[in-house]
Amino acid sequence: GNFEFETRQPELERLFKRYGKVDRVDMKSGFAFVYMDDERDAKDAIQGLDRIEFGRKGRRLRVEWSKEERSRKPR
């Protein structure tokens, strides 16, 4: 979350692709769900991208697990 409204899907894909295969990106208003092929890659992306400055205005991204997705995973 917290990316600029002008951000396009390919920009987010390139950003997350550094950490592994991106299956898809579902963009909403001001936030997106990024689906990655491997959970370990997703964890690395969260650690590497959370709070970085992104975009022309240098807004700090919020990158975290989706609460809905994580609650459905077996423990």
Side-chain angles (χ1 to χ4, degrees):
N2 199 40
F3 56 83
E4 298 169 16
F5 292 109
E6 297 83 22
T7 301
R8 301 287 176 239
Q9 184 172 334
E11 294 174 274
L12 291 179
E13 287 176 2
R14 276 193 302 275
L15 184 66
F16 279 82
K17 199 186 308 186
R18 297 181 209 165
Y19 295 92
K21 183 176 182 288
V22 175
D23 289 330
R24 76 177 200 261
V25 177
D26 293 340
M27 294 184 71
K28 308 295 181 195
S29 181
F31 68 97
F33 294 98
V34 178
Y35 297 88
M36 298 188 74
D37 193 46
D38 187 289
E39 187 171 336
R40 288 171 295 175
D41 295 340
K43 182 179 177 181
D44 291 343
I46 290 169
Q47 291 176 345
L49 298 174
D50 189 40
R51 309 277 307 143
I52 69 161
E53 291 185 6
F54 179 73
R56 289 179 301 230
K57 298 175 185 171
R59 295 176 73 166
R60 290 199 180 271
L61 294 182
R62 284 192 327 268
V63 183
E64 59 190 31
W65 291 110
S66 164
K67 288 157 186 57
E68 182 177 316
E69 289 295 319
R70 295 292 289 176
S71 66
R72 286 191 281 179
K73 289 192 181 280
R75 296 178 192 249

